[in-house]
Amino acid sequence: MAYSQEQIDEIKRYCEKVSALSEGGITFLLLEKLRLPAGCEPSVCDALLCPVSRDGYPSRLYLSVQVSSRYSRNWNMTNARIGERNWVAFSWRVDIPNPSPAQLLIAHLMGFTKEK
Amino acid sequence: MNDIEIAEQEVDIFEFAERGAEVPHARRYRIRIDCEIAIFDTSHASGEAILRKVGKRPCGFELVAEFRHCENEVVEPHEIVDLRQRGLKGFITAHKEIVTITINDKPYRIERGERTVAQILTLIGQTPETYVLMEEKDGPPLPLPANLPVKVCGCEIFHAQVQSGGSS
């Protein structure tokens, strides 16, 4: 999946570094030192945004650590091995037609800020 | 040809106010704002420009002109103040009780303090059930937890958008 420079610049605001990571026919976006919403602990962690269908979800946000937030989440993916690193993810379904990477990221981050 | 006689390079208006003397024309004016000294290159400035000299904005702060004999006058942001007016000692700033925030690029007034996400969304006629509130603070807009109080001091930038995503 190709992204425009504008889209990359938009998502770059949320982290220190963005890079592409290709594995298993999927191009993930590796977001280093991603800023997390208020109330999250830690407030920053690395993340891997999968913009296409994987593990039965239309898209996924993998995180380098399990994050505690204002709402408890179902961390149903632990130790997903991608890019020679282990990742975790909580159950969160995002259905937005043709989102930009930043829109997709925000929709996943909402998983830390809303109850259901 | 400038017909105004510039008597001084720089004058401190406070000193003239203390003496009850007229402030001469000068190249620069030293003005006390709270505990800081600000330098102005012109003899007239708007309330907003005066606030900016001390890193404050009208969305969160009020500007008050202090005169000799303990007289104070609130200065509106677009009001032009003659810095040479007799008796003007300087300015003080004060937190506004009703401040201005922006939501989706539009200004809204709200009471300063801790507010709920629901209270802020009410300003645009929405609720946390259908809308998410995001704050742009030292970085990009990030969603705010609906159950966490939001500290409103004035000038905050919020974005609201339809909720997306859900636990499965």
Side-chain angles (χ1 to χ4, degrees), chain A residues 56-112:
Chain A
Y57 291 86
S59 61
R60 277 214 112 170
L61 181 68
Y62 298 93
L63 301 161
S64 56
V65 291
Q66 192 164 318
V67 174
S68 66
S69 68
R70 301 291 291 187
Y71 301 102
S72 64
R73 299 276 71 118
N74 172 20
W75 293 85
N76 63 354
M77 175 58 74
T78 54
N79 297 328
R81 191 80 181 158
I82 307 167
E84 298 182 358
R85 284 179 72 176
N86 289 337
W87 301 91
V88 296
F90 59 88
S91 179
W92 196 256
R93 183 173 292 275
V94 173
D95 284 307
I96 313 176
N98 305 314
S100 70
Q103 286 169 332
L104 190 59
L105 173 67
I106 290 169
H108 278 282
L109 292 178
M110 282 179 199
F112 292 121

Side-chain angles (χ1 to χ4, degrees), chain B:
Chain B
M1 184 81 176
N2 193 344
D3 58 359
I4 296 171
E5 189 185 338
I6 304 294
E8 308 270 352
Q9 285 297 313
E10 188 171 295
V11 295
D12 186 332
I13 66 152
F14 181 82
E15 290 171 8
F16 287 87
E18 287 284 274
R19 300 202 303 264
E22 189 181 343
V23 179
H25 287 285
R27 298 204 185 279
R28 287 180 296 278
Y29 301 89
R30 285 165 63 86
I31 311 288
R32 281 166 172 75
I33 308 171
D34 293 333
C35 295
E36 296 182 42
I37 299 283
I39 306 294
F40 287 79
D41 295 329
T42 58
S43 60
H44 290 75
S46 69
E48 187 171 359
I50 295 167
L51 274 175
R52 277 188 198 279
K53 285 280 186 183
V54 286
K56 292 174 179 174
R57 292 189 288 158
C59 41
F61 287 87
E62 196 132 60
L63 183 70
V64 180
E66 283 193 313
F67 291 90
R68 205 173 167 225
H69 305 307
C70 302
E71 286 167 9
N72 288 350
E73 240 174 57
V74 172
V75 179
E76 297 300 329
H78 296 103
E79 191 179 331
I80 301 297
V81 181
D82 179 0
L83 301 174
R84 292 181 56 239
Q85 65 186 290
R86 195 181 284 263
L88 177 64
K89 288 164 59 178
F91 301 90
I92 52 171
T93 65
H95 271 292
K96 283 181 174 172
E97 284 309 310
I98 304 295
V99 297
T100 303
I101 60 173
T102 60
I103 308 175
N104 295 346
D105 299 324
K106 287 186 183 162
Y108 294 90
R109 285 158 61 81
I110 189 169
E111 199 178 337
R112 183 166 63 94
E114 286 198 341
R115 306 270 77 88
T116 63
V117 167
Q119 283 174 319
I120 297 170
L121 284 174
T122 300
L123 297 172
I124 57 164
Q126 299 299 340
T127 67
E129 283 69 44
T130 49
Y131 269 67
V132 65
L133 186 70
M134 300 193 291
E135 185 175 10
E136 203 173 319
K137 191 179 178 184
D138 308 322
L142 280 170
L144 290 167
N147 62 355
L148 191 69
V150 183
K151 197 171 179 188
V152 174
C153 298
C155 313
E156 285 82 6
I157 300 168
F158 295 103
H159 301 269
Q161 67 174 55
V162 178
Q163 293 270 13
S164 56
S167 57
S168 56

